[in-house]
Amino acid sequence: RDGSPSNVSLAGVPESESLEYKAVSVLLVLLVCGLGIVGNAMVVLVVLTSRHMRTPTNCYLVSLAAADLTVLVAAGLPNVSRSLSGTWVFGQAGCRAITYLQYLGINASSCSISAFTLERYMAICHPMRAQAVCTVARAKRILAGLWSGTCLYCTLWLFLVDIQVSRGGYVQCGYRVKRLYLPIYLFDFTVFYVLPLLLAIVLYALIARVLYLSPLPGHPDASPAGLERSCPQTGGTARRTGLSSRKQVTKMLAVVVVLFGLLWMPYRTLVLINSFVATPYLNAWFLLFCRTCIYANSAINPVIYHLMSQKFRSAFRQLRRCGRADGSWRAAAR
């Protein structure tokens, strides 16, 4: 009953050995993880290299991108070698380190989502207070605390996993203290999945009430917290523009939260059910679907930013132009 995204069996049962399964698994994981790694790396680069992109919300999105990169590298790529070799090839140290990084990325992404949800709530529902509270410096301090706490909490997994060899000689990375696994997984499931979703439901309902049902304050939102900050202006046109911008940013972040809930649901639900039933459900193709949903969740956010944020779309375009120009310059220099 393994809850690690890189472990397929959930109960020590090897993956399907069919050539068809291996081919589909490898191609699917490489495609999703490859696109996700490129996309999240672009998010980090455009925010770090563009001064106008350095806002509190974008700080949390960089944190989310870093966490998603960790998930894709630590959970996705080891599955490629496992599918090709049919066994665990990273040894005991690799088992512990990769499991640690998997949970670090998963939990840090959940914390980052909760952080930008709270930041959006402050920016929309308490705009005057947000001017002092929602700053880049404060966002960096919050993220430093979140990552430090998550790194410390995830050290638990270093002591709970080890390599195991089945009777048939199949080597896997599994749990050596199985009686402790269920309470720790349930705690993890509650704190890093259920509670963030409940928090998001409540806060986005309050945000929607302000944006769509309540009259706007008479002043423009001068908070630096917005992804699309507006300049202090007067007049109805400026207020309508500010409202439209705030709605667009909030919709984009809400989509990120909804996809987080939906794409993690198959795997979280499967592991939870298998932890209590006498005969776990171990269909290899369904497990592949569940894992692919996890990787897709970590890969899709840059696509959402591109589709729903004009600033991110322009920044991505500029980054690609710089890359092509740099490549042309190097070719000419030869």
Side-chain angles (χ1 to χ4, degrees), residues 301-316:
N301 291 333
V303 178
I304 297 171
Y305 307 156
H306 184 273
L307 294 176
M308 301 187 69
S309 170
Q310 177 61 42
K311 282 200 171 183
F312 263 110
R313 191 157 51 246
S314 299
F316 288 150

Side-chain angles (χ1 to χ4, degrees), residues 266-287:
Y267 192 89
R268 291 283 194 180
T269 304
L270 178 65
V271 176
L272 190 64
I273 293 174
N274 280 354
S275 297
F276 292 98
V277 298
T279 305
Y281 182 71
L282 302 171
N283 180 272
W285 289 101
F286 184 72
L287 292 172

Side-chain angles (χ1 to χ4, degrees), residues 8-320:
V8 182
S9 67
L10 305 184
V13 179
E15 291 177 341
S16 169
E17 294 297 327
S18 71
L19 182 61
E20 180 186 11
Y21 177 88
K22 288 186 175 184
V24 172
S25 176
V26 170
L27 291 176
L28 197 58
V29 172
L30 284 178
L31 176 63
V32 176
C33 290
L35 292 175
I37 290 171
V38 172
N40 283 293
M42 289 178 67
V43 171
V44 175
L45 285 174
V46 297
V47 175
L48 294 183
T49 59
S50 303
R51 180 169 296 181
H52 72 283
M53 296 292 289
R54 296 174 197 166
T55 66
T57 300
N58 284 2
C59 288
Y60 298 120
L61 296 187
V62 167
S63 174
L64 179 59
D68 286 338
L69 281 170
T70 304
V71 173
L72 292 170
V73 172
L77 297 185
N79 266 311
V80 176
S81 65
R82 170 177 291 193
S83 296
L84 293 175
S85 65
T87 188
W88 182 261
V89 298
F90 299 103
Q92 184 183 63
C95 173
R96 294 178 179 177
I98 288 173
T99 302
Y100 173 83
L101 290 174
Q102 288 172 12
Y103 281 99
L104 174 62
I106 292 166
N107 295 341
S109 67
S110 176
C111 290
S112 301
I113 288 173
S114 296
F116 73 59
T117 299
L118 286 166
E119 190 271 340
R120 276 289 90 194
Y121 168 75
M122 290 297 300
I124 300 298
C125 298
H126 304 281
M128 297 300 292
R129 188 179 176 189
Q131 295 181 44
V133 173
C134 298
T135 64
V136 172
R138 185 181 288 268
K140 290 179 179 179
R141 290 196 296 270
I142 291 172
L143 289 172
L146 288 178
W147 276 88
S148 297
T150 305
C151 286
L152 184 62
Y153 165 76
C154 289
T155 55
L156 280 172
W157 298 106
L158 296 175
F159 304 99
L160 293 174
V161 296
D162 202 351
I163 57 172
Q164 301 168 355
V165 183
S166 66
R167 292 179 181 177
Y170 174 76
V171 180
Q172 71 162 351
C173 176
Y175 295 95
R176 59 179 180 176
V177 190
K178 293 185 178 180
R179 68 179 180 276
L180 295 178
Y181 163 69
L182 182 57
I184 292 176
Y185 177 77
L186 289 176
F187 177 82
D188 212 76
F189 173 77
T190 302
V191 172
F192 296 103
Y193 182 71
V194 176
L195 292 182
L197 289 180
L198 291 177
L199 176 69
I201 290 172
V202 172
L203 294 187
Y204 278 109
L206 295 174
I207 291 171
R209 186 180 67 177
V210 171
L211 287 179
Y212 296 97
L213 301 179
S214 301
L216 277 177
H219 60 84
D221 182 9
S223 167
L227 200 66
E228 316 265 2
R229 290 184 293 184
S230 59
C231 298
Q233 302 178 56
T234 58
T237 301
R239 286 195 295 273
R240 285 192 296 272
T241 301
L243 173 61
S244 177
S245 176
R246 290 193 292 274
K247 283 184 177 180
Q248 190 64 25
V249 174
T250 303
K251 285 179 183 178
M252 183 186 78
L253 299 179
V255 169
V256 172
V257 175
V258 169
L259 289 176
F260 166 76
L262 291 178
L263 292 175
W264 267 100
M265 188 178 294
Y267 192 89
R268 291 283 194 180
T269 304
L270 178 65
V271 176
L272 190 64
I273 293 174
N274 280 354
S275 297
F276 292 98
V277 298
T279 305
Y281 182 71
L282 302 171
N283 180 272
W285 289 101
F286 184 72
L287 292 172
L288 177 61
F289 165 75
C290 292
R291 292 200 318 277
T292 303
C293 286
I294 295 174
Y295 308 148
N297 176 73
S298 294
I300 200 170
N301 291 333
V303 178
I304 297 171
Y305 307 156
H306 184 273
L307 294 176
M308 301 187 69
S309 170
Q310 177 61 42
K311 282 200 171 183
F312 263 110
R313 191 157 51 246
S314 299
F316 288 150
R317 199 175 296 122
Q318 180 64 30
L319 184 65
R320 289 196 297 268

